[in-house]
Amino acid sequence: EVQLVESGGGLVQAGGSLRLSCAASGFPFDDYHIAWFRQAAGKEHEGVSSIHTADGKAYYADSVKGRFTISSDNAKNTVYLQMNSLKPEDTAVYYCAADPYNWGNWYDWHDYRYEGQGTRVTVSS
């Protein structure tokens, strides 16, 4: 059974930092495309960042470049999202998603076969 379990969300003041974790099981983690998405209230899923666990190639949304860093620990089957300089507009539920293939649009929620339940991030001003 495939499982993606997010953790690390919480309440933080603007300018602060959080590190999200996505613990994966049930699939060959070391050659998968794993992404972080977020969904703010009343909005669609937004692609935040993606990583290919085989070679570490990463992508970022323009809105988070320079502030967020995605990384993968293949020994722990876990992908992390280090979020620095957080802004109120980063407030959302953050989800990780996984797929064995790169369908060409890393930021498209529908391109991922598996998804987690999410962890809430709230950034106060």
Side-chain angles (χ1 to χ4, degrees):
E1 179 188 3
V2 171
Q3 284 194 317
L4 296 170
V5 180
E6 302 95 335
S7 61
L11 173 64
V12 64
Q13 288 189 330
S17 298
L18 284 174
R19 188 177 80 156
L20 305 183
S21 300
C22 172
S25 61
F27 61 85
F29 182 88
D30 59 359
D31 190 8
Y32 249 68
H33 299 269
I34 299 180
W36 284 98
F37 287 82
R38 64 188 181 187
Q39 187 176 30
K43 296 188 176 181
E44 298 292 323
H45 286 91
E46 175 192 11
V48 175
S49 184
S50 176
I51 190 167
H52 185 200
T53 58
D55 58 17
K57 186 171 179 61
Y59 301 91
Y60 295 92
D62 287 344
S63 58
V64 306
K65 278 180 183 175
R67 300 189 298 124
F68 292 10
T69 302
I70 194 170
S71 61
S72 172
D73 185 336
N74 290 10
K76 295 183 178 179
N77 283 13
T78 301
V79 168
Y80 302 98
L81 185 69
Q82 178 66 43
M83 307 188 297
N84 299 330
S85 302
L86 282 161
K87 304 175 181 180
E89 51 263 44
D90 295 318
T91 294
V93 178
Y94 283 70
Y95 300 87
C96 64
D99 198 273
Y101 304 111
N102 178 354
W103 298 102
N105 298 315
W106 70 266
Y107 47 83
D108 189 336
W109 175 251
H110 301 99
D111 278 1
Y112 293 85
R113 185 172 305 184
Y114 307 115
E115 63 195 54
Q117 294 301 306
T119 185
R120 183 174 298 276
V121 172
T122 303
V123 184
S124 63
S125 57

